[in-house]
Amino acid sequence: MVTLGMLHKSRLLIPLTAVVCVLVLAIGTLGVAIEAASGQTTTETATDIYYKTEGVPLGPPVPSTDASSYRRYGSLDNRTLIWFVTQQHTYFGGFVLALPIFCVILEFAGLIARDRASAVRYDRLARDFLQVALLAFSLTAVVGVVMLGLFIWLYPTFMSYMGGTFKVMMPVYAFVFLAEAIFLVSYYYSWDRMAEPGLKWLHATIGVVANVLGGVLLLLVNAWAGFMMAPSGVDEQGRYLGNVWHLLHSALWNPLNVHRFLADLMSGGAVVMAYAAYRFLTSKSEQERAYYDWVGYVFLFVTVCALLPMPFAGYWLMRSVYEFRQSMGVTMMGGLLTWLFVVQALMIGVLFLGINYYLWQGMSRIQGAERYQRFLKYLVLALTGCLFVWLTPHTLIMTATEVKAMGGAQHPVIGNYGVMSAKNGAINVMICLTALSYILYRRANRTMTITWARAGNATIAVLFGVGMLNIVWLAVYGFYIPANVRVGLSSPQAFTTLTVLVGSLLVNQAMMRGAKSHGPIAWGKIPVRGMVALCGLAASFTWVMGLMGYIRSSGRLSWHIHELMPDLSPWAFTPSLGFAAKMVTVNMVVFWMVVLVLFWISSRSRPPISWTEQGPENRVAFLPSTSREMPSS
């Protein structure tokens, strides 16, 4: 029987044991890399294939490979095994990156909270999730060790070259990993010891440092992924030329950093949302349902904050792909992988519809929300219309006979639509409509008392009306200009959306000062279908993350390292879309099952949720004040 004391001690031992394993393997890999790179240093100069600068080769060239370079074990599909383990490591790595960030944000929210109940609520939530983060950190390290071992065993030639090329970064990665582990453990175990007001800010600073180190790890990992898609810092033979910055800073490094950071935040927030929904649906007390209703709402807000800029980050990434190699961009968005982007568009549309649906269901817990119900059907129609525009393909899947009969790959009608300006316009309008839903939600239990309420409403109406008209006009204008000019329309569309969001939210916040409240939010009273929608949203976030990882990797086609090191293994073919969807789904299900186990383990040592009742309204301490829609902060 595992006791709580044993579990408490294991939280320190597991991360440190995992770190030792990672360090041992990293040092071993570094030794292999140095051995592979020995004797490769010359005095000749060579030219960087991307930056076109001169340098002295310091690393090994790309080795010659054939089918015999890959170890085979019966009918085992090496690539599928690597795919599964790598995706699990990516999921857990994103979870471990996001969860400490959430913990620090919650701790700071508690520090600046205006009342004691809110401060305690945020502080407890942060510490509870930090327990899960420590367990997940250990598991991530173990999965990373397994992944590294499989790469070395199943793809020895590839790993020998990567180790020799990135040998300078291996000890840096190991050091940063160890430092993050130490700071995370210190952050958790000093929580009670530094609970005094004077020390609490110092304690939050420890969390900030741990998150900075986690961000550095993400940058290093993205450098390796970016190098495989768009190599730089090496010559035509693949030899490292001594400039670490060029090796790190490939053509796709910056957009990859932004895109994966936002994806990790979404993935981490999705896990917490699903856990909150699960606990809400299985809770047997009103207090627990209310608590987990609030937790789900808070993390939906955080996840949406990461989702809103994601379309722009994705556009930046794909534009960078086109700028680096147009053929790769065409493969991903106009060729072999086109229909995966249609599936991705469908899932993103589902996400925005689901977010709005959850907000509308959340109005059931708010007194006075009935007055806005009549507007929701118009929002549904507008969002659905945008989804259809977002889904419209530029080309169709056709047989050779059909292409010949039509006279080309472009359909005479559909070919005029599905252009990027129209898709960008659709997603920008969906973002604006989601912001409008949030404004209605925020206003649901308030009556404005300011003298300029009519002028404020008119200002918000003008912002949304003029802004969305400008977005739609730019989308339509894109039909009449060349493709190389059309790509530039994304910037004014994004700027318009940002203006609408920031302007309307600021005006609405100013209008709610001193507003008359219709009563506190009845947390825990959201309909069950609202929490089911939250579960669906969480699964969709995770599934989209796995799908986009597959698309990004498949863009290299039959190359380990694009145009440098070919993949000559028996599995060097692009799997069918159906197989890819099944793999993404299996990875998602396994990830969710393991995460639920982690939450269960961490909850065994957690005291039961209890609150004191307050005032004649008989509301528990964690509920927001009557003048605020969220807990005071």
Side-chain angles (χ1 to χ4, degrees):
M1 182 75 177
V2 178
T3 64
L4 297 182
M6 294 170 60
L7 181 64
H8 185 73
K9 292 178 181 178
S10 69
R11 290 199 183 106
L12 177 60
L13 295 176
I14 293 175
L16 292 182
T17 303
V19 168
V20 171
C21 293
V22 171
L23 288 176
V24 169
L25 267 179
I27 293 172
T29 305
L30 177 62
V32 172
I34 293 175
E35 181 179 355
S38 61
Q40 300 295 334
T41 303
T42 65
T43 57
E44 66 174 302
T45 60
T47 303
D48 190 310
I49 58 175
Y50 177 69
Y51 285 100
K52 306 304 180 184
T53 56
E54 298 292 325
V56 177
L58 300 177
V62 171
S64 58
T65 58
D66 53 39
S68 63
S69 303
Y70 305 90
R71 294 190 174 99
R72 300 194 64 177
Y73 301 92
S75 59
L76 176 66
D77 188 332
N78 293 3
R79 182 180 62 177
T80 300
L81 180 59
I82 289 290
W83 183 355
F84 174 78
V85 176
T86 303
Q87 186 60 60
Q88 292 300 312
H89 184 64
T90 303
Y91 276 145
F92 281 105
F95 183 54
V96 169
L97 175 73
L99 215 55
I101 294 176
F102 297 154
C103 293
V104 170
I105 292 174
L106 289 169
E107 186 175 15
F108 273 112
L111 285 171
I112 63 176
R114 299 177 183 176
D115 63 271
R116 176 64 180 168
S118 295
V120 172
R121 181 167 58 250
Y122 282 121
D123 197 72
R124 171 184 172 141
L125 185 60
R127 181 170 181 177
D128 287 349
F129 285 140
L130 190 57
Q131 291 180 1
V132 182
L134 280 180
L135 289 173
F137 187 85
S138 307
L139 184 59
T140 303
V142 172
V143 175
V145 168
V146 173
M147 181 185 71
L148 181 59
L150 287 175
F151 265 115
I152 293 173
W153 188 254
L154 299 177
Y155 292 88
T157 306
F158 167 73
M159 285 304 296
S160 175
Y161 171 73
M162 290 293 286
T165 301
F166 286 89
K167 63 181 181 292
V168 177
M169 300 181 193
M170 294 295 183
V172 176
Y173 182 89
F175 172 78
V176 175
F177 189 93
L178 177 61
E180 185 190 11
I182 293 173
F183 273 94
L184 271 181
V185 171
S186 302
Y187 186 45
Y188 176 75
Y189 283 96
S190 62
W191 202 286
D192 291 332
R193 295 181 178 87
M194 303 181 71
E196 297 297 324
L199 297 175
K200 195 63 174 171
W201 286 97
L202 179 60
H203 178 262
T205 304
I206 297 175
V208 171
V209 174
N211 281 298
V212 170
L213 293 170
V216 173
L217 286 180
L218 179 66
L219 297 182
L220 291 174
V221 172
N222 287 342
W224 303 334
F227 177 81
M228 292 174 66
M229 292 184 69
S232 62
V234 296
D235 64 5
E236 292 181 348
Q237 300 180 43
R239 297 176 296 179
Y240 169 55
L241 298 181
N243 192 319
V244 177
W245 176 247
H246 285 176
L247 192 63
L248 275 172
H249 194 240
S250 66
L252 304 182
W253 190 50
N254 286 333
L256 265 178
N257 290 333
V258 175
H259 193 264
R260 295 189 71 171
F261 177 74
L262 293 174
D264 289 344
L265 290 182
M266 289 167 51
S267 178
V271 170
V272 179
M273 285 161 45
Y275 175 70
Y278 168 77
R279 291 301 300 267
F280 175 91
L281 295 172
T282 58
S283 294
K284 299 187 178 355
S285 68
E286 292 293 331
Q287 290 86 356
E288 284 196 351
R289 275 194 291 272
Y291 177 74
Y292 288 109
D293 185 11
W294 172 72
V295 172
Y297 171 78
V298 169
F299 277 90
L300 176 72
F301 180 82
V302 173
T303 306
V304 170
C305 287
L307 172 65
L308 292 181
M310 178 59 84
F312 309 115
Y315 176 80
W316 182 22
L317 175 59
M318 290 312 304
R319 181 171 179 171
S320 299
V321 169
Y322 270 97
E323 290 175 348
F324 174 73
R325 285 293 184 275
Q326 188 178 28
S327 58
M328 183 187 292
V330 170
T331 298
M332 297 173 72
M333 297 197 69
L336 183 64
L337 305 174
T338 302
W339 282 90
L340 287 178
F341 274 91
V342 175
V343 175
Q344 177 237 22
L346 175 62
M347 295 303 297
I348 290 179
V350 168
L351 287 176
F352 277 101
L353 283 171
I355 291 166
N356 283 272
Y357 181 77
Y358 173 81
L359 289 175
W360 302 335
Q361 291 300 312
M363 289 184 177
S364 301
R365 54 167 109 91
I366 302 175
Q367 300 179 32
E370 304 83 13
R371 55 198 164 133
Y372 293 119
Q373 291 292 327
R374 66 182 187 274
F375 300 119
L376 300 186
K377 58 179 176 289
Y378 302 112
L379 290 173
V380 172
L381 290 173
L383 286 166
T384 306
C386 290
L387 177 59
F388 287 153
V389 175
W390 178 248
L391 283 175
T392 302
H394 192 51
T395 57
L396 301 174
I397 296 179
M398 296 175 290
T399 64
T401 304
E402 291 172 331
V403 172
K404 182 178 179 180
M406 198 170 62
Q410 280 201 345
H411 191 277
V413 177
I414 297 296
N416 296 321
Y417 302 97
V419 298
M420 208 61 206
S421 62
K423 294 179 180 292
N424 284 338
I427 198 66
N428 279 279
V429 171
M430 292 181 81
I431 292 173
C432 292
L433 293 174
T434 303
L436 182 58
S437 287
Y438 180 70
I439 288 175
L440 295 180
Y441 179 90
R442 291 278 291 167
R443 289 184 169 202
N445 69 333
R446 321 285 177 85
T447 297
M448 306 300 173
T449 59
I450 55 174
T451 57
W452 51 279
R454 180 171 297 181
N457 288 331
T459 301
I460 293 177
V462 169
L463 278 170
F464 277 100
V466 174
M468 288 191 289
L469 281 175
N470 185 54
I471 292 170
V472 172
W473 179 84
L474 289 171
V476 174
Y477 178 62
F479 293 138
Y480 302 99
I481 58 178
N484 61 337
V485 180
R486 185 188 304 135
V487 295
L489 296 179
S490 61
S491 296
Q493 286 176 324
F495 180 76
T496 302
T497 301
L498 182 63
T499 303
V500 171
L501 262 62
V502 174
S504 61
L505 292 175
L506 289 178
V507 173
N508 188 67
Q509 183 66 28
M511 292 178 67
M512 287 195 299
R513 291 178 181 172
K516 178 183 176 182
S517 173
H518 296 272
I521 292 184
W523 293 107
K525 300 301 182 182
I526 186 174
V528 171
R529 58 182 176 270
M531 298 308 283
V532 172
L534 202 62
C535 287
L537 279 171
S540 299
F541 277 121
T542 311
W543 200 88
V544 168
M545 183 178 176
L547 179 69
M548 294 311 297
Y550 165 71
I551 294 174
R552 189 169 56 244
S553 297
S554 297
R556 291 181 281 110
L557 296 178
S558 58
W559 296 92
H560 287 309
I561 303 169
H562 188 65
E563 297 180 348
L564 271 184
M565 187 176 187
D567 182 358
L568 302 177
S569 68
W571 315 279
F573 60 89
T574 303
S576 66
L577 304 185
F579 181 81
K582 292 176 184 177
M583 275 296 297
V584 172
T585 304
V586 168
N587 271 301
M588 181 194 72
V589 172
V590 172
F591 171 68
W592 279 102
M593 291 175 63
V594 176
V595 164
L596 287 177
V597 171
L598 292 180
F599 273 110
W600 176 77
I601 292 174
S602 66
S603 65
R604 288 173 61 86
S605 61
R606 192 178 304 162
I609 297 173
S610 62
W611 301 273
T612 57
E613 297 181 348
Q614 294 184 2
E617 295 173 342
N618 196 34
R619 61 185 179 91
V620 291
F622 68 86
L623 290 178
S625 63
T626 57
S627 63
R628 290 188 175 269
E629 165 266 327
M630 286 182 60
S632 301
S633 59

